[in-house]
Amino acid sequence: MKETKEIQTEPYMHQYELNRLFPGEFKNQMKAYHFSKGDDLFTTGEELEELYFLVEGKIKIYTLTPEGKSLINRFKRPLGVIGDVEYVKGSPVINSVEAVTDGVMLAIPFADLKELEAMHPQVIRFLLETVAHKFYSESQATSMHMLYPVEVRLASYLLSISSDGEGTLFHQEMRTANLTELAEWIGTSYRHLNRVLKKMASEGTIERSNGIIQIKNLESLRTLANGNIYE
Amino acid sequence: MKETKEIQTEPYMHQYELNRLFPGEFKNQMKAYHFSKGDDLFTTGEELEELYFLVEGKIKIYTLTPEGKSLINRFKRPLGVIGDVEYVKGSPVINSVEAVTDGVMLAIPFADLKELEAMHPQVIRFLLETVAHKFYSESQATSMHMLYPVEVRLASYLLSISSDGEGTLFHQEMRTANLTELAEWIGTSYRHLNRVLKKMASEGTIERSNGIIQIKNLESLRTLANGNIYE
DNA sequence: GGAACGTTAGGACATATGTCCTTTCTCAAA
DNA sequence: TTTGAGAAAGGACATATGTCCTAACGTTCC
C-alpha cells in the first residue's frame, strides 16, 4: 500500500462526512494511500501506527489456518475503519487484510488521534460506535459458523445475495468472485462446498453450471437457511 | 436478578474506582442487584435499559445451539461490564447470561448514561476500552475454536489452569466446575471431550480419575497446545 | 444404610467434513 | 487455432465429532 500525494483527501472526507470528526488542522494530517488488487495491506502481528479509513475499493479481512488455508472473516467496502481496536488496545493486528480490488485508504497517525481525543470527544464516540458495530457483526458471524452446518450457511448466503436480500451495501460487499472464495467465506473446504451445492442441485433448490448458481426454489432455500441470513 | 436496597453501592464503587467515572449525583443513580447461582440474568433478544457492572460473583455468557445445547462464550468475574454493546448499538442482547455463583451487580440507566456522556467524556473512553477489549478477547476465542481441533483446545485449557498459566484473574475465571461445563467451554460434546481425555491419559500426558485431571507431562501438553493458551 | 440424583465413562452408530488427487472445462493469450 | 493456466467438479479415503444410550460411581439426603 503506497502513500500518494496525487489523491486529494478532501473529496473523500466530504463524501464520508469526516470533516466533522477531524476539524481544523487535523484534516491536514490525513494521508492518502492507494492499493492494488491482491496487495497485502496488513499482516497478523504487525504493529500499526495509523488509523485507516477505506474510502474506495473492497478489502477482505482473513485468518490463516495452521495449514495455511485462508478463512475470510469479513469483506469491507467504504466507509470501513481499520485499526480502531489496535489503537485502543495498543495490540498488534489481529487478522490479515488483503485488497480484493484496487482502492484508496485515508489514514491519520495514532499520535494525532490521541491529541484529538482530548480536544474533540466526538471522535471517541465515533470509535465507540465502529468498535461496537464490529463486535456485533463478528458475534453474528461467529454464531453462524459455530452453530450451523455448511448447508445452512450456504443457504443463508444464497438468500442474502438473491433479490430478496439485495439492496444493502453489506450484501454487495459479501458477494464472492468464485467458488474458492465462497468456500473461504463460508468457512469450509472447496470440496465440501461442492458436495453441498451438488446436493442442493439434486433437490431442485438451485441450478448450477460452471460456477454460476441460479436459485430455483426460494422457499426451499428459506427452509434450509433456518431463519438465518448473512447480515 | 433482584434490585436490593440492602447493598451499599459506595464500597464497590470505591473498590473498582467507579467514582471517577460517575461523579456527583450520577453515583446516586446506581442501583444494586443481587443474584443467585443458576439465575438467568439476561436472555438473547431481550432489550436492556441499564448498563451493568459485575462487582461480586461469577457469571457465564453463553449461546444456545438450535438443538438446545449450551456453548460458553466466556466467564466473567469483577469488574465486568454487561450491556455496553447493547447501549451503543441499541440492539437486543446477543448472548444469554447466567449466574455461576451468587453475586452482585451495580447498574445505571441508559438514560443517565446518555446525559453523562455529554458532561463527562471519560465515560465514553471507558466504554471504548471495554468494548475494544471484548472484541479482542472474542476474536482470540473465536480463532481458537475455528482453527484448532478439540485436542489442541483442551491442551490449551489445561496449560492455562496449570501452575504455569495461573496467576491472572482470567485463568481463575475460566476454571470449570465439572466435565460437562468444560465441554461447553471448549465447544464440543461431553462424549468427545471424554475421548480426547482418554487419549491424553493413554499417552501419559495426564492422569485422571473421577473427573479430576492431573497433568503428568507439561512438555507434551505444550506440544499439543501448539503455541496456544487460553487468555 | 439405602435411595435418588447428578456426574463420570464409554459403546455403537452415524454424519459432517477434510485431504489428496484426477479429469474436464473455460477463457485468455500467443 | 492451439496452448496453458485457472477454475469447476467429483472419487476415494480418512478423521473428527455428534447423538443416543447404558452402566457405574459418588454425593447428598432421608
Side-chain angles (χ1 to χ4, degrees):
Chain A
M1 185 159 69
K2 307 178 205 44
E3 189 182 350
T4 176
K5 305 295 199 195
E6 291 171 25
I7 295 174
Q8 297 289 319
T9 62
E10 176 53 32
Y12 293 116
M13 293 191 70
H14 183 75
Q15 182 179 355
Y16 295 109
E17 298 178 16
L18 295 176
N19 281 314
R20 64 176 187 83
L21 287 177
F22 300 98
E25 69 180 34
F26 283 98
K27 79 173 65 172
N28 302 333
Q29 305 305 103
M30 278 291 183
K31 299 170 189 145
Y33 291 89
H34 181 275
F35 56 84
S36 300
K37 178 187 163 92
D39 280 358
D40 287 321
L41 304 180
F42 308 105
T43 309
T44 301
E46 180 180 349
E47 301 273 345
L48 295 183
E49 294 183 0
E50 301 181 297
L51 181 75
Y52 296 85
F53 298 89
L54 177 65
V55 294
E56 195 170 324
K58 179 177 168 179
I59 62 175
K60 71 183 179 186
I61 292 93
Y62 68 94
T63 304
L64 281 181
T65 72
E67 297 77 29
K69 209 174 75 177
S70 174
L71 289 181
I72 297 173
N73 298 55
R74 172 146 320 277
F75 291 103
K76 273 190 178 300
R77 277 185 182 281
L79 179 69
V81 182
I82 295 94
D84 43 4
V85 174
E86 289 78 8
Y87 165 70
V88 175
K89 288 194 62 65
S91 51
V93 166
I94 303 170
N95 299 302
S96 295
V97 185
E98 183 182 316
V100 176
T101 64
D102 291 3
V104 172
M105 299 257 202
L106 303 190
I108 185 163
F110 283 168
D112 291 326
L113 199 48
K114 204 53 162 160
E115 273 191 55
L116 185 58
E117 279 200 49
M119 316 172 36
H120 197 59
Q122 277 160 284
V123 79
I124 314 176
R125 225 311 165 155
F126 170 81
L127 292 175
L128 176 56
E129 285 168 15
T130 69
V131 176
H133 185 70
K134 272 183 179 173
F135 179 88
Y136 180 85
S137 304
E138 208 83 1
S139 289
Q140 296 293 322
T142 296
S143 286
M144 181 78 89
H145 275 86
M146 301 291 296
L147 301 179
Y148 297 104
V150 168
E151 188 177 42
V152 175
R153 306 208 300 264
L154 177 60
S156 302
Y157 169 81
L158 295 174
L159 261 187
S160 298
I161 62 169
S162 73
S163 54
D164 238 51
E166 233 156 352
T168 80
L169 205 61
F170 178 76
H171 296 133
Q172 295 305 328
E173 220 163 77
M174 183 174 59
R175 191 181 284 274
T176 57
N178 61 29
L179 295 182
T180 300
E181 193 176 74
L182 177 54
E184 290 174 5
W185 168 235
I186 286 191
T188 188
S189 68
Y190 173 83
R191 183 68 190 91
H192 196 53
L193 177 64
N194 257 285
R195 280 192 196 104
V196 180
L197 284 169
K198 177 169 183 166
K199 182 170 180 269
M200 285 187 171
S202 75
E203 285 162 0
T205 305
I206 62 168
E207 198 172 82
R208 70 169 181 153
S209 61
N210 194 23
I212 292 169
I213 301 164
Q214 213 172 332
I215 294 167
K216 293 311 240 185
N217 188 334
L218 203 55
E219 261 332 287
S220 172
L221 210 49
R222 283 205 185 89
T223 302
L224 284 173
N226 196 22
N228 298 282
I229 192 159
Y230 269 91
E231 58 183 349
Chain B
M1 183 158 69
K2 309 177 203 47
E3 188 182 350
T4 176
K5 306 295 198 196
E6 291 171 24
I7 296 174
Q8 298 289 319
T9 62
E10 176 53 32
Y12 292 116
M13 293 189 71
H14 183 75
Q15 181 178 356
Y16 295 109
E17 298 179 15
L18 295 176
N19 282 314
R20 65 178 185 82
L21 288 176
F22 300 99
E25 69 179 36
F26 283 98
K27 79 173 62 173
N28 302 333
Q29 304 306 103
M30 278 291 184
K31 300 169 188 145
Y33 291 88
H34 180 275
F35 55 84
S36 300
K37 180 187 161 92
D39 280 358
D40 288 321
L41 304 180
F42 307 105
T43 309
T44 300
E46 181 180 347
E47 301 275 343
L48 295 183
E49 295 183 358
E50 302 181 296
L51 181 74
Y52 296 86
F53 298 89
L54 176 66
V55 293
E56 196 170 323
K58 178 177 171 181
I59 63 175
K60 70 184 181 188
I61 292 93
Y62 68 94
T63 304
L64 281 181
T65 70
E67 297 76 29
K69 211 174 72 176
S70 175
L71 290 180
I72 298 174
N73 299 53
R74 174 148 316 282
F75 292 103
K76 272 189 182 297
R77 278 185 182 282
L79 179 70
V81 181
I82 294 94
D84 43 4
V85 174
E86 289 79 8
Y87 165 68
V88 175
K89 290 196 59 66
S91 52
V93 166
I94 301 170
N95 298 303
S96 296
V97 185
E98 184 181 314
V100 176
T101 65
D102 292 4
V104 174
M105 300 256 202
L106 304 190
I108 185 163
F110 284 167
D112 290 328
L113 200 49
K114 207 48 162 166
E115 273 189 57
L116 184 60
E117 279 200 49
M119 316 170 37
H120 195 61
Q122 277 160 284
V123 78
I124 315 175
R125 228 303 167 160
F126 170 80
L127 292 175
L128 177 56
E129 285 168 14
T130 68
V131 176
H133 184 71
K134 272 183 180 175
F135 179 89
Y136 181 85
S137 304
E138 208 83 1
S139 291
Q140 295 294 321
T142 296
S143 285
M144 180 80 87
H145 275 87
M146 302 291 295
L147 300 180
Y148 297 103
V150 168
E151 188 177 39
V152 175
R153 304 205 305 261
L154 178 61
S156 302
Y157 168 80
L158 294 174
L159 261 186
S160 299
I161 62 169
S162 75
S163 54
D164 237 50
E166 233 155 353
T168 79
L169 204 61
F170 177 77
H171 296 131
Q172 294 306 327
E173 218 163 80
M174 182 173 60
R175 191 182 283 274
T176 57
N178 60 32
L179 294 182
T180 301
E181 194 174 74
L182 176 54
E184 289 174 6
W185 168 236
I186 287 191
T188 188
S189 69
Y190 173 83
R191 182 65 190 93
H192 195 54
L193 176 64
N194 257 285
R195 279 192 198 107
V196 178
L197 282 170
K198 178 169 182 164
K199 181 171 180 270
M200 284 186 173
S202 75
E203 286 160 359
T205 304
I206 62 169
E207 197 172 83
R208 67 169 181 155
S209 60
N210 196 24
I212 292 169
I213 301 165
Q214 213 173 328
I215 295 168
K216 294 309 242 184
N217 187 334
L218 204 55
E219 262 331 288
S220 172
L221 210 50
R222 285 206 184 89
T223 301
L224 284 174
N226 196 22
N228 299 281
I229 191 157
Y230 269 91
E231 57 180 351

